[in-house]
Amino acid sequence: MTTPKAPWLKYFGDIPATLEYPQGSMYEAIKNGCENNINNNGGFKNTAYVFQGKKTNYHEFFNKIDTTAKAFKAIGIGKGDKVTICMPNAPQGVDAFYALNRISAVPAMIHPLSAEGEIKFYVTNSNSKAVLVLDMFYEKVLRALEDVEYPVKVIVARIQDALPFPLNMLYPLTVKEKPAPLPADNGNVIGWNEFIAGAKTVKSLPEEFPGKDDTAVILFSGGTTGVSKGIELTNMNMNALGYEVQAGAGFTMTGLRMFSVMPLFHGFGLGVGVHTALTAGATCILIPRFTIKTYAKDVLKYKPNVIVGVPTLFEALLRSDGFANADLSFLKGVFCGGDSLSVELKKKVDAFLKEHKSTVQIREGYGTTECVTASCLTPFDYFREGSIGIPFPDIYYQIVDPKNDTEVPYGTEGEICSMGPTVMKGYLDNAAETASTLRRHADGNLWLHTGDLGTMDEDGFIYYKQRLKRLIVVSGFNVYPSQVENTIDAHPDVLLSCAIGVPDPYKMHKVKAFVVLRPGVEPSDKIKEEILEHCRKNISKHAMPREIEFRTELPKTLVGKVAYRQLEEEEEAKIKAQEENQ
């Protein structure tokens, strides 16, 4: 193996080119970090997370982790077992994530708004023995599990149990749709408090911790064929990311406050918003649900030092009317990822920050879930227009010819590939997809193929150009058109469909579906609603078509495939014409 070129090293400044990483579990990385910070930064006395004003320090946090770990053991969860976590950013979800790591079990993180069909797939694909879910979603989970051929425990958590007094008493009064009571005749369904009480029956926890190369978490990525893939990330992957982000940030995160608004099931939210903050001894401000109405209120109330988010979140920053005359000088880092940050949006956000007394600018990162999240970031004090930055310490990038995997000259467009300690273990039980994505190049190194096209300049700055494969990004979340199309095509009245992304002023893109009905079936609002209802049961909220257009036929390429690019160009032309007429 030969060491890849790294022309970007001269822009690292005081950042070391290589780092020393924790060699154990995620749990140990956080705990050891606290112990090392006791004398100079408070350690276990520092606040680990804040939820709706209620603070939990690190000492309390580790007690909750250990208690939750015992509770999992009490219901039969042990080493290597999988548990699906279907939670927003709430204490029970964070506690359970690290509790499973404590007993060498593996959490599989999914979106709370996942459709029934998706939940069934996620649970069976990961072979989960239990699901942790919020009470308002648990009935959907039970319906999804009806066809699962083995028993699955369902642990039901409530937001109000994590709230401070008197909010915990008032919360039920604010909920419009009350969750149904837990069924008394289903022994596989257990409330969170009863679940935690079971910890008393377990005397001790295992002395052994999971190893650095053991799977620590499973995150799901949409498949280009319409089938999701479980991404296995190791303890080293997660811990390395935490240390790399801290180094790349250019400032010490210990004791700072992280605005943890990106969700737990998202690599960005879990890896940076939570795990990076906790490995740094920082405080996570857990935001269970992002809304533009509460955005300014939460930011000004908690005064986070670090905000991470997708372009949609920062576009909302500009539209919120709650920041008038606000002083944002408490910000030390503002990071954007999950989708391309346009030059114009960056200029607007930077101007907004400056107008509100902040000394920082927004910094763009890039990565994929296959390497947890970001592996590349704009340097602390240097920006090149159009660039997504330079790799973190110990991360290498190559731009290769997609046809033969050979490295191309600087400035030449090719597929973006990366290598380093955050690269995934592989796709769960999917050797073929793993081999297609992790490839050994002529230099002897194993490279992650991102499926994105870009270039690298002579100084090593990376420039993202476009997706190599079809992909729609809605509010920073990946939507695979084939998954939408497969779902729509399953409707008995549909002959053929094509899903594309069309520009949206808030979500950046939204899904539009073009549908050809079977002969003899006429378009109607009734059929449109039937198709949408079918989608609601089988695909996530972000993947839901916001518009359906019926056509008698779809444009085709010379080889007979649907010409989706032609449909995209038609929509772009339509939007341009509307703008010119305004």
Side-chain angles (χ1 to χ4, degrees), residues 321-356:
D321 57 7
F323 286 108
N325 302 316
D327 183 346
L328 301 181
S329 59
F330 48 79
L331 289 172
K332 289 182 176 292
V334 178
F335 303 99
C336 181
D339 195 4
S340 296
L341 176 70
S342 70
V343 173
E344 288 306 310
L345 181 56
K346 174 176 168 53
K347 289 178 180 178
K348 291 177 182 177
V349 174
D350 285 344
F352 175 91
L353 292 171
K354 186 175 182 180
E355 290 168 4
H356 291 80

Short mmCIF file of all heavy atoms in Angstrom, two decimals, residues 321-356:
data_model
loop_
_atom_site.label_atom_id
_atom_site.label_comp_id
_atom_site.label_asym_id
_atom_site.label_seq_id
_atom_site.Cartn_x
_atom_site.Cartn_y
_atom_site.Cartn_z
N ASP A 321 -38.75 35.35 12.22
CA ASP A 321 -38.91 36.76 12.62
C ASP A 321 -38.57 36.97 14.10
O ASP A 321 -38.80 38.04 14.65
CB ASP A 321 -40.34 37.24 12.35
CG ASP A 321 -41.39 36.38 13.05
OD1 ASP A 321 -41.01 35.50 13.86
OD2 ASP A 321 -42.59 36.57 12.78
N GLY A 322 -37.98 35.94 14.73
CA GLY A 322 -37.67 36.05 16.15
C GLY A 322 -36.26 36.52 16.46
O GLY A 322 -35.86 36.61 17.64
N PHE A 323 -35.47 36.82 15.41
CA PHE A 323 -34.08 37.21 15.63
C PHE A 323 -33.85 38.72 15.53
O PHE A 323 -32.70 39.17 15.47
CB PHE A 323 -33.16 36.50 14.63
CG PHE A 323 -32.95 35.04 14.93
CD1 PHE A 323 -33.54 34.07 14.14
CD2 PHE A 323 -32.16 34.64 15.99
CE1 PHE A 323 -33.34 32.72 14.40
CE2 PHE A 323 -31.96 33.30 16.27
CZ PHE A 323 -32.56 32.34 15.47
N ALA A 324 -34.91 39.48 15.48
CA ALA A 324 -34.76 40.94 15.36
C ALA A 324 -33.93 41.48 16.52
O ALA A 324 -34.23 41.23 17.69
CB ALA A 324 -36.14 41.59 15.34
N ASN A 325 -32.85 42.17 16.18
CA ASN A 325 -31.94 42.79 17.16
C ASN A 325 -31.28 41.78 18.09
O ASN A 325 -30.78 42.15 19.16
CB ASN A 325 -32.70 43.83 18.01
CG ASN A 325 -33.33 44.92 17.17
OD1 ASN A 325 -32.70 45.44 16.24
ND2 ASN A 325 -34.58 45.26 17.47
N ALA A 326 -31.27 40.49 17.70
CA ALA A 326 -30.66 39.46 18.55
C ALA A 326 -29.13 39.54 18.51
O ALA A 326 -28.54 39.87 17.48
CB ALA A 326 -31.10 38.08 18.10
N ASP A 327 -28.51 39.24 19.64
CA ASP A 327 -27.06 39.20 19.75
C ASP A 327 -26.62 37.74 19.68
O ASP A 327 -26.89 36.96 20.59
CB ASP A 327 -26.62 39.82 21.08
CG ASP A 327 -25.11 39.88 21.24
OD1 ASP A 327 -24.39 39.20 20.45
OD2 ASP A 327 -24.63 40.58 22.15
N LEU A 328 -25.96 37.34 18.59
CA LEU A 328 -25.52 35.96 18.40
C LEU A 328 -24.00 35.82 18.58
O LEU A 328 -23.38 34.93 18.03
CB LEU A 328 -25.92 35.47 17.00
CG LEU A 328 -27.42 35.48 16.67
CD1 LEU A 328 -27.67 34.95 15.26
CD2 LEU A 328 -28.20 34.66 17.69
N SER A 329 -23.44 36.68 19.38
CA SER A 329 -21.99 36.64 19.60
C SER A 329 -21.54 35.38 20.33
O SER A 329 -20.34 35.10 20.39
CB SER A 329 -21.54 37.90 20.37
OG SER A 329 -22.20 37.97 21.62
N PHE A 330 -22.49 34.62 20.89
CA PHE A 330 -22.13 33.39 21.61
C PHE A 330 -21.74 32.25 20.66
O PHE A 330 -21.22 31.23 21.09
CB PHE A 330 -23.28 32.93 22.51
CG PHE A 330 -24.63 32.91 21.85
CD1 PHE A 330 -25.01 31.87 21.00
CD2 PHE A 330 -25.54 33.93 22.07
CE1 PHE A 330 -26.24 31.85 20.39
CE2 PHE A 330 -26.80 33.92 21.47
CZ PHE A 330 -27.15 32.87 20.62
N LEU A 331 -21.99 32.41 19.37
CA LEU A 331 -21.68 31.35 18.40
C LEU A 331 -20.18 31.26 18.13
O LEU A 331 -19.53 32.26 17.85
CB LEU A 331 -22.42 31.59 17.09
CG LEU A 331 -23.93 31.40 17.11
CD1 LEU A 331 -24.56 31.86 15.80
CD2 LEU A 331 -24.27 29.93 17.35
N LYS A 332 -19.65 30.04 18.21
CA LYS A 332 -18.25 29.78 17.89
C LYS A 332 -18.08 28.95 16.62
O LYS A 332 -17.04 28.94 16.00
CB LYS A 332 -17.57 29.06 19.05
CG LYS A 332 -17.35 29.91 20.29
CD LYS A 332 -16.63 29.12 21.37
CE LYS A 332 -16.32 30.00 22.58
NZ LYS A 332 -15.31 31.04 22.25
N GLY A 333 -19.14 28.21 16.26
CA GLY A 333 -19.08 27.38 15.07
C GLY A 333 -20.45 27.18 14.47
O GLY A 333 -21.40 26.87 15.19
N VAL A 334 -20.58 27.38 13.16
CA VAL A 334 -21.83 27.15 12.44
C VAL A 334 -21.49 26.26 11.24
O VAL A 334 -20.75 26.68 10.34
CB VAL A 334 -22.46 28.48 11.97
CG1 VAL A 334 -23.74 28.22 11.18
CG2 VAL A 334 -22.76 29.39 13.16
N PHE A 335 -22.01 25.03 11.24
CA PHE A 335 -21.60 24.03 10.25
C PHE A 335 -22.80 23.53 9.46
O PHE A 335 -23.85 23.23 10.02
CB PHE A 335 -20.92 22.85 10.94
CG PHE A 335 -19.73 23.24 11.77
CD1 PHE A 335 -19.85 23.38 13.14
CD2 PHE A 335 -18.50 23.47 11.19
CE1 PHE A 335 -18.76 23.74 13.92
CE2 PHE A 335 -17.40 23.83 11.95
CZ PHE A 335 -17.53 23.98 13.31
N CYS A 336 -22.63 23.42 8.14
CA CYS A 336 -23.70 22.98 7.25
C CYS A 336 -23.27 21.72 6.51
O CYS A 336 -22.14 21.62 6.02
CB CYS A 336 -24.04 24.07 6.25
SG CYS A 336 -25.39 23.64 5.13
N GLY A 337 -24.18 20.74 6.43
CA GLY A 337 -23.92 19.51 5.69
C GLY A 337 -25.23 18.90 5.25
O GLY A 337 -26.29 19.49 5.39
N GLY A 338 -25.17 17.67 4.73
CA GLY A 338 -26.38 16.97 4.33
C GLY A 338 -26.87 17.29 2.93
O GLY A 338 -27.60 16.53 2.32
N ASP A 339 -26.47 18.43 2.40
CA ASP A 339 -26.83 18.84 1.04
C ASP A 339 -25.92 20.00 0.66
O ASP A 339 -25.28 20.62 1.53
CB ASP A 339 -28.30 19.27 0.98
CG ASP A 339 -28.82 19.34 -0.46
OD1 ASP A 339 -28.06 18.99 -1.38
OD2 ASP A 339 -29.98 19.75 -0.66
N SER A 340 -25.86 20.30 -0.62
CA SER A 340 -24.99 21.37 -1.09
C SER A 340 -25.47 22.73 -0.59
O SER A 340 -26.66 23.05 -0.68
CB SER A 340 -24.94 21.38 -2.62
OG SER A 340 -24.37 20.19 -3.11
N LEU A 341 -24.55 23.51 -0.08
CA LEU A 341 -24.83 24.87 0.36
C LEU A 341 -24.52 25.80 -0.81
O LEU A 341 -23.37 25.93 -1.22
CB LEU A 341 -23.97 25.23 1.57
CG LEU A 341 -24.08 26.65 2.11
CD1 LEU A 341 -25.44 26.86 2.76
CD2 LEU A 341 -22.96 26.92 3.12
N SER A 342 -25.55 26.42 -1.36
CA SER A 342 -25.32 27.30 -2.50
C SER A 342 -24.49 28.51 -2.08
O SER A 342 -24.51 28.93 -0.92
CB SER A 342 -26.65 27.77 -3.09
OG SER A 342 -27.30 28.67 -2.21
N VAL A 343 -23.76 29.06 -3.05
CA VAL A 343 -22.93 30.24 -2.79
C VAL A 343 -23.80 31.39 -2.29
O VAL A 343 -23.44 32.12 -1.37
CB VAL A 343 -22.16 30.65 -4.06
CG1 VAL A 343 -21.42 31.97 -3.83
CG2 VAL A 343 -21.17 29.56 -4.46
N GLU A 344 -24.98 31.53 -2.89
CA GLU A 344 -25.86 32.63 -2.51
C GLU A 344 -26.39 32.48 -1.09
O GLU A 344 -26.47 33.44 -0.34
CB GLU A 344 -27.03 32.74 -3.51
CG GLU A 344 -26.64 33.28 -4.87
CD GLU A 344 -25.90 34.62 -4.77
OE1 GLU A 344 -26.42 35.52 -4.08
OE2 GLU A 344 -24.83 34.75 -5.37
N LEU A 345 -26.76 31.24 -0.72
CA LEU A 345 -27.26 31.03 0.64
C LEU A 345 -26.15 31.27 1.65
O LEU A 345 -26.39 31.86 2.72
CB LEU A 345 -27.82 29.61 0.80
CG LEU A 345 -28.40 29.28 2.18
CD1 LEU A 345 -29.49 30.28 2.58
CD2 LEU A 345 -28.95 27.85 2.20
N LYS A 346 -24.94 30.85 1.33
CA LYS A 346 -23.82 31.11 2.25
C LYS A 346 -23.62 32.60 2.46
O LYS A 346 -23.44 33.07 3.59
CB LYS A 346 -22.51 30.48 1.71
CG LYS A 346 -21.30 30.86 2.57
CD LYS A 346 -20.02 30.21 2.14
CE LYS A 346 -18.81 30.82 2.83
NZ LYS A 346 -18.90 30.87 4.31
N LYS A 347 -23.67 33.38 1.38
CA LYS A 347 -23.48 34.83 1.50
C LYS A 347 -24.57 35.44 2.39
O LYS A 347 -24.28 36.30 3.22
CB LYS A 347 -23.52 35.47 0.11
CG LYS A 347 -22.29 35.17 -0.75
CD LYS A 347 -22.42 35.81 -2.13
CE LYS A 347 -21.20 35.52 -2.98
NZ LYS A 347 -21.33 36.10 -4.35
N LYS A 348 -25.80 34.96 2.22
CA LYS A 348 -26.91 35.50 3.01
C LYS A 348 -26.77 35.15 4.48
O LYS A 348 -27.02 35.98 5.36
CB LYS A 348 -28.24 34.98 2.46
CG LYS A 348 -28.61 35.53 1.09
CD LYS A 348 -29.91 34.90 0.58
CE LYS A 348 -30.26 35.42 -0.81
NZ LYS A 348 -31.49 34.76 -1.32
N VAL A 349 -26.38 33.90 4.77
CA VAL A 349 -26.22 33.47 6.17
C VAL A 349 -25.06 34.21 6.81
O VAL A 349 -25.14 34.66 7.97
CB VAL A 349 -26.02 31.94 6.26
CG1 VAL A 349 -25.70 31.52 7.70
CG2 VAL A 349 -27.27 31.21 5.78
N ASP A 350 -23.95 34.33 6.08
CA ASP A 350 -22.78 35.05 6.62
C ASP A 350 -23.14 36.51 6.95
O ASP A 350 -22.74 37.05 7.98
CB ASP A 350 -21.62 35.02 5.63
CG ASP A 350 -20.93 33.66 5.57
OD1 ASP A 350 -21.16 32.85 6.50
OD2 ASP A 350 -20.19 33.41 4.62
N ALA A 351 -23.91 37.13 6.06
CA ALA A 351 -24.34 38.52 6.29
C ALA A 351 -25.25 38.59 7.51
O ALA A 351 -25.14 39.51 8.34
CB ALA A 351 -25.05 39.06 5.05
N PHE A 352 -26.14 37.62 7.65
CA PHE A 352 -27.05 37.57 8.79
C PHE A 352 -26.26 37.44 10.09
O PHE A 352 -26.54 38.14 11.08
CB PHE A 352 -28.00 36.38 8.63
CG PHE A 352 -28.91 36.15 9.79
CD1 PHE A 352 -30.17 36.74 9.85
CD2 PHE A 352 -28.53 35.33 10.85
CE1 PHE A 352 -31.01 36.53 10.92
CE2 PHE A 352 -29.37 35.11 11.93
CZ PHE A 352 -30.62 35.71 11.97
N LEU A 353 -25.28 36.55 10.11
CA LEU A 353 -24.47 36.34 11.31
C LEU A 353 -23.72 37.61 11.69
O LEU A 353 -23.67 38.00 12.86
CB LEU A 353 -23.49 35.18 11.10
CG LEU A 353 -24.12 33.78 10.97
CD1 LEU A 353 -23.07 32.76 10.54
CD2 LEU A 353 -24.78 33.35 12.27
N LYS A 354 -23.15 38.27 10.69
CA LYS A 354 -22.41 39.50 10.94
C LYS A 354 -23.32 40.60 11.48
O LYS A 354 -22.97 41.33 12.42
CB LYS A 354 -21.72 39.97 9.66
CG LYS A 354 -20.80 41.16 9.86
CD LYS A 354 -20.06 41.50 8.56
CE LYS A 354 -19.11 42.67 8.78
NZ LYS A 354 -18.37 43.01 7.52
N GLU A 355 -24.52 40.71 10.90
CA GLU A 355 -25.50 41.71 11.35
C GLU A 355 -25.94 41.49 12.79
O GLU A 355 -26.36 42.41 13.47
CB GLU A 355 -26.73 41.69 10.44
CG GLU A 355 -26.48 42.22 9.03
CD GLU A 355 -27.63 41.90 8.09
OE1 GLU A 355 -28.64 41.32 8.57
OE2 GLU A 355 -27.51 42.20 6.89
N HIS A 356 -25.81 40.23 13.25
CA HIS A 356 -26.25 39.89 14.60
C HIS A 356 -25.06 39.63 15.53
O HIS A 356 -25.12 38.81 16.45
CB HIS A 356 -27.20 38.69 14.56
CG HIS A 356 -28.52 38.99 13.92
ND1 HIS A 356 -28.69 39.05 12.56
CD2 HIS A 356 -29.74 39.31 14.46
CE1 HIS A 356 -29.95 39.36 12.29
NE2 HIS A 356 -30.60 39.53 13.42
#
